Amino acid sequence: MSTFRLHVNIDHVATLRQARGTPYPDPLWAAPLCELAGADGITVHLREDRRHIQDRDVRLLRETVRGVLNLEMAATDEMVKIACAIKPDVVTLVPEKRAEQTTEGGLNIKASRKSVEKAIAALKKARIQVSLFIDPTEEAVKLSHDVGAPRIELHTGDYCEKQHDVRAQAGERELERLRNSAQLGSELGLHVAAGHGLDYINVAPVAAIAAVTELNIGHAIVSRAVLVGMECAVREMRDAMDRGRSQLVHATHGARG
Ligand code: PXP
């Protein structure tokens, strides 16, 4: 197993399923394909509004994922109860707002310290590793350590948004924040992951941060899969159509004969 790990977030396979209410595409089918292709783990976010991943997905993934199953969730009693029953390998606590399109920032540990500490205690009791999704700041890394989280995931969203701003070198500044926070986390003995908004181009500078030992990537991979899988998917439909049509021809011939 690699010491630099890739966890694939398969939420958006479920987004496509939920858009039509069909049984497909099933994240249960996507997970082993990710693992066969080299993913070290599978990440899913069970949101309060169940907009993509469903409870059933997490339950069944627990039985089928061979590598690490990382469950992202809010630090609420409901979610902690579900996690303690299903027992993913890792729970990543994330902030959650109902109206947001996707997770918008790291946890505000100061403001939600009570609920975060309560969730960490319950999850640790259930022998689940806990990670906190935080902004890449010294304060957030230190607070994560203070509340007893053994893992952090640095939010790369600001870096991904600002890396295009070459003139202001905002991307480089964000990268520096990621480097410093990862280094501090590592010095404090924390397992340091990173993720959110990473794609095939902006991933390289983050992957070059030695203290980051795991990346969680979803949207870019699922999006790419739609494109690289398109040709095969159309061919399969063409074949299915042609098989159906050939039966019509046989039936007509049969009727005449
Ligand atoms: N890490 C966390 C904590 C997330 O909430 C998400 C999005 O669900 C990701 C990583 C993956 O982000 P993306 O889909 O942009 O790769």
Side-chain angles (χ1 to χ4, degrees):
M1 196 175 280
S2 167
T3 52
F4 185 36
R5 306 168 60 80
L6 168 63
H7 291 181
V8 179
N9 179 316
I10 56 174
D11 290 351
H12 296 302
V13 175
T15 300
L16 210 51
R17 175 189 62 190
Q18 299 308 115
R20 277 285 183 93
T22 47
Y24 65 84
D26 194 327
L28 262 295
W29 286 44
L33 297 177
C34 295
E35 292 195 292
L36 283 170
D40 303 288
I42 298 297
T43 297
V44 287
H45 185 171
L46 186 65
R47 295 188 73 102
E48 197 187 7
D49 62 10
R50 307 299 197 272
R51 70 174 70 160
H52 38 53
I53 292 295
Q54 306 297 306
D55 301 48
R56 158 271 187 201
D57 300 330
V58 188
R59 268 198 312 276
L60 294 177
L61 285 167
R62 171 64 298 178
E63 289 179 29
T64 56
V65 168
R66 305 279 293 271
V68 168
L69 178 63
N70 174 25
L71 175 63
E72 295 173 359
M73 56 176 233
T76 61
D77 290 346
E78 182 208 3
M79 287 298 156
V80 169
K81 198 169 159 204
I82 292 171
C84 288
I86 297 178
K87 294 194 192 303
D89 302 291
V90 179
V91 159
T92 302
L93 296 177
V94 299
E96 204 174 292
K97 293 188 209 128
R98 265 198 181 240
E100 69 191 355
Q101 228 176 13
T102 180
T103 315
E104 285 169 351
L107 273 176
N108 182 343
I109 303 175
K110 233 187 201 169
S112 54
R113 187 164 182 146
K114 256 196 179 161
S115 57
V116 168
E117 283 182 333
K118 190 175 164 206
I120 292 175
L123 293 164
K124 276 188 170 173
K125 205 169 158 202
R127 296 179 186 279
I128 299 167
Q129 292 269 334
V130 186
S131 180
L132 303 184
F133 184 55
I134 56 170
D135 290 324
T137 66
E138 185 181 328
E139 186 191 32
V141 177
K142 284 187 172 161
L143 274 171
S144 302
H145 182 253
D146 288 353
V147 296
R151 295 169 171 252
I152 52 173
E153 180 178 338
L154 299 175
H155 180 42
T156 51
D158 288 340
Y159 154 72
C160 295
E161 266 176 34
K162 291 180 184 159
Q163 50 134 6
H164 303 293
D165 190 351
V166 183
R167 275 168 309 147
Q169 292 192 310
E172 186 47 45
R173 275 202 301 277
E174 289 301 326
L175 210 47
E176 198 53 26
R177 290 174 71 206
L178 287 166
R179 287 192 196 106
N180 293 339
S181 302
Q183 185 57 33
L184 176 60
S186 171
E187 282 166 13
L188 291 172
L190 305 176
H191 170 103
V192 182
H196 207 284
L198 294 173
D199 62 31
Y200 291 83
I201 294 166
N202 65 25
V203 71
V206 178
I209 302 174
V212 171
T213 57
E214 174 195 308
L215 296 180
N216 280 284
I217 307 179
H219 191 260
I221 295 176
V222 175
S223 302
R224 180 78 184 141
V226 171
L227 296 185
V228 298
M230 188 60 82
E231 197 179 333
C232 178
V234 173
R235 273 188 217 292
E236 286 180 6
M237 183 54 78
R238 185 74 245 179
D239 286 350
M241 278 172 58
D242 292 343
R243 272 199 308 278
R245 194 59 138 201
S246 71
Q247 279 167 16
L248 168 71
V249 173
H250 291 318
T252 314
H253 281 182
R256 280 202 196 119

